[in-house]
Amino acid sequence: MGKPTGFVEYPRLIVEERPVEARVKDYREIVLSPSFESIEQEGARCMDCGTPYCHALGCPVVNLIPEWNDAVYKGLWREAWERLELTNNFPEVTGRICPAPCEAACTLSINSAPVSIKKIELAIIERAFEEGWVVPRPPSRETGRRVAIVGSGPAGLAAAQQLRRRGHKVTLFEKADRIGGLLRYGIPDFKLEKHILDRRIRVMELEGVEFETNVVIGEDLSAHYLSRKFDVILLAMGAGAPRDLGVDGRNLRGIHFAVEYLTLSNRFVAGDIPEEAIISAAGKDVLVIGGGDTGSDCVGTAIRQGASVVRQIEIMPRPLEWGSPENPEWPAWPNILRTSTSHAEGCQREWCVNTTGFVSKGDTVQLVECERVEWVKKDRAAAPGISSIEGSSFTIEADLVLLSMGFVHVDHCRLLDDLKLELDKRGNILTDTEYRTSNPRVYAAGDASTGASLVVRAISHGRQAAEAIHRNL
């Protein structure tokens, strides 16, 4: 695959980004598109390793990475797209926001810089749209079976497309006013511009997928109605219950969950609401609690809104600083310090910090009370736990606090009760290996059944659930 000596001859492709001083003034995508010639050269670096860990271990959708790398290297772009399209419904999404575990697992990562797989993937799908290769693929025959899907995130969308192409009549219900779930409202445009979603949704509509927005299943439409009208129900609502802080002052004004903050910002960017309707960071001292991708998205959004200062604290230890191109934990995803594009725009970060309370000025948060902690293991069998460091208490000035500590499980809504679904010990929808719930006509996929995870994993589960549903129909 690729050029036999390509990984020796060519350095890893480094994609340029828009300058910080320019990009913080708008919400357009940060990463610039490389030339097709540079992508072809990067494809040459795929080293015919024999056992492609990128494909089997690193990629949840099991993309045929070595095959489309080789096709790109040879200039066979349509063939590359045909390979990519076999396994991934939305490479235009994963090529932008996936953390690329495939690259961590690339054999080159043992002692060198991996192939820029994610950039090759994105270049393939963007060229496919540009050349008109991406066309609707409605089914050649109808099965007469009806499937209702609840939730239009990556799992629901992937399942909807797969089931429709199998000939089933698919109706996808979304409680928000637009399709996309967290892809639309949880991810800022500077990482994923929403016309990218709209382009794919138009293809799915032409394939015959029916979309119903502003519908809360269990409230606007009952579980009984869905059970009566559809042969199968697939729940793909995501893990919608955010992790909270049970500390003094939590109910003060100025403290918000990250998704609430990002949703309003994205709706403003889309032109759906006026600027005065958002939670604004303009002129404020912003503290983001939580160190994951969503926290990073809050950082970048607050900077664009004109925050005076942005800080981010994390209870976990500071990861290993690793400046070498190889993966120190190959082929696993390494726990190393990463600086996102938002962090690079200006953010103060601290680790091993626990939030103990909020102090008000009137009814609005003014100070965040914190303490420093260390992670200790009481014995070899026990998981590490936190221990407060005596005398380490301190405060951080903040008049806007964004809670970004992840999600605990699916929303425990009326729909789950009405369908009489069992939950696992973590509060997710319990499913078997066929994605079937305790109700034999109800399936669940994505974060609703696994807990919060990667977009690419949600796509994989949506595809697998669709295949299971098709077999059982």
Side-chain angles (χ1 to χ4, degrees):
M1 299 298 174
K3 187 178 182 181
T5 57
F7 69 97
V8 177
E9 296 177 35
Y10 308 123
R12 174 179 162 91
L13 172 67
I14 303 300
V15 179
E16 293 185 19
E17 298 172 354
R18 296 169 60 213
V20 170
E21 59 273 15
R23 73 194 196 210
V24 297
K25 297 176 181 178
D26 60 48
Y27 290 86
R28 291 188 291 111
E29 285 187 4
I30 291 170
V31 178
L32 299 175
S33 299
S35 68
F36 291 135
E37 291 74 20
S38 65
I39 291 292
E40 289 174 359
Q41 178 174 293
E42 186 65 17
R45 296 184 66 241
C46 192
M47 62 183 298
D48 196 11
C49 56
T51 303
Y53 284 81
C54 62
H55 152 80
L57 188 146
C59 183
V61 294
V62 198
N63 275 330
L64 305 176
I65 295 167
E67 295 187 25
W68 41 257
N69 280 347
D70 184 58
V72 164
Y73 160 58
K74 295 174 179 175
L76 304 174
W77 284 85
R78 177 152 191 160
E79 183 175 317
W81 169 73
E82 289 170 350
R83 296 291 191 277
L84 177 58
E85 208 261 348
L86 286 172
T87 58
N88 191 347
N89 298 76
F90 315 116
E92 66 272 25
V93 173
T94 54
R96 287 175 165 86
I97 64 173
C98 180
C102 54
E103 294 184 15
C106 174
T107 303
L108 277 176
S109 285
I110 294 175
N111 58 9
S112 183
V115 175
S116 295
I117 299 168
K118 180 175 171 180
K119 300 309 176 190
I120 296 175
E121 175 184 40
L122 182 57
I124 293 170
I125 186 59
E126 288 303 319
R127 179 149 188 179
F129 272 108
E130 181 181 307
E131 298 286 350
W133 300 334
V134 181
V135 295
R137 288 171 44 200
S140 57
R141 68 179 186 87
E142 300 287 344
T143 66
R145 301 289 187 148
R146 295 168 56 88
V147 180
I149 299 178
V150 182
S152 69
L157 287 171
Q161 187 166 57
Q162 293 299 106
L163 286 165
R164 179 59 195 145
R165 288 176 173 179
R166 290 285 200 171
H168 307 298
K169 185 175 177 60
V170 178
T171 304
L172 192 152
F173 297 95
E174 168 57 52
K175 66 181 179 180
D177 57 346
R178 296 196 188 201
I179 295 296
L182 283 181
L183 296 178
R184 183 173 296 279
Y185 289 122
I187 298 174
D189 281 46
F190 54 78
K191 287 174 63 176
L192 176 65
E193 292 188 35
K194 301 310 176 278
H195 67 84
I196 300 298
L197 290 181
D198 295 334
R199 180 178 64 182
R200 177 63 69 171
I201 290 165
R202 284 194 294 272
V203 173
M204 294 178 64
E205 287 175 331
L206 292 171
E207 290 177 336
V209 177
E210 296 180 359
F211 294 104
E212 295 284 349
T213 57
N214 287 313
V215 179
V216 179
I217 302 299
E219 303 293 338
D220 298 322
L221 291 178
S222 69
H224 174 71
Y225 174 85
L226 254 61
S227 298
R228 187 163 50 87
K229 289 290 186 179
F230 294 89
D231 298 289
V232 165
I233 301 170
L234 172 63
L235 303 182
M237 305 101 71
R243 182 172 284 107
D244 207 344
L245 276 174
V247 299
D248 291 342
R250 167 62 183 88
N251 293 323
L252 293 173
R253 291 168 57 89
I255 304 173
H256 303 273
F257 286 119
V259 169
E260 176 192 8
Y261 172 70
L262 293 172
T263 295
L264 291 173
S265 176
N266 283 3
R267 293 188 65 199
F268 162 68
V269 172
D272 294 340
I273 60 173
E275 188 170 7
E276 55 266 26
I278 69 173
I279 299 168
S280 178
K284 295 181 179 178
D285 291 348
V286 178
L287 178 66
V288 179
I289 301 178
D293 288 339
T294 302
S296 171
D297 293 343
C298 290
V299 169
T301 301
I303 289 171
R304 282 159 178 76
Q305 290 178 348
S308 295
V309 63
V310 182
R311 301 179 178 91
Q312 186 176 28
I313 59 174
E314 166 66 72
I315 197 170
M316 299 298 292
R318 183 185 179 95
L320 171 70
E321 292 194 45
W322 187 258
S324 300
E326 69 269 19
N327 178 1
E329 300 176 29
W330 183 89
W333 180 255
N335 182 26
I336 58 177
L337 181 63
R338 292 175 172 84
T339 299
S340 72
T341 55
S342 293
H343 294 143
E345 293 163 1
C347 174
Q348 302 173 22
R349 305 163 73 187
E350 289 196 60
W351 290 263
C352 284
V353 175
N354 183 36
T355 305
T356 58
F358 300 101
V359 178
S360 66
K361 180 180 181 181
D363 62 350
T364 302
V365 66
Q366 181 184 25
L367 294 173
V368 181
E369 297 177 325
C370 304
E371 64 178 3
R372 302 195 184 279
V373 299
E374 58 182 351
W375 287 82
V376 296
K377 288 190 70 170
K378 294 183 179 179
D379 57 68
R380 288 186 177 182
I386 62 169
S387 176
S388 300
I389 298 176
E390 187 175 353
S392 68
S393 297
F394 66 102
T395 60
I396 299 174
E397 292 185 4
D399 43 11
L400 176 59
V401 177
L402 302 172
L403 305 180
S404 180
M405 302 169 294
F407 298 86
V408 289
H409 49 62
V410 67
D411 275 327
H412 292 167
C413 56
R414 176 180 171 182
L415 175 62
L416 305 189
D417 293 333
D418 291 346
L419 290 171
K420 297 180 172 55
L421 301 184
E422 294 182 20
L423 304 177
D424 65 19
K425 61 183 179 181
R426 294 184 300 156
N428 301 309
I429 300 172
L430 183 66
T431 59
D432 61 17
T433 56
E434 290 276 288
Y435 294 87
R436 200 194 303 261
T437 70
S438 53
N439 183 328
R441 291 179 56 203
V442 179
Y443 294 71
D447 293 0
S449 61
T450 65
S453 189
L454 303 178
V455 166
V456 68
R457 191 161 288 127
I459 293 171
S460 172
H461 291 170
R463 290 173 62 92
Q464 292 177 46
E467 190 61 29
I469 291 169
H470 175 70
R471 284 196 303 268
N472 291 316
L473 283 176

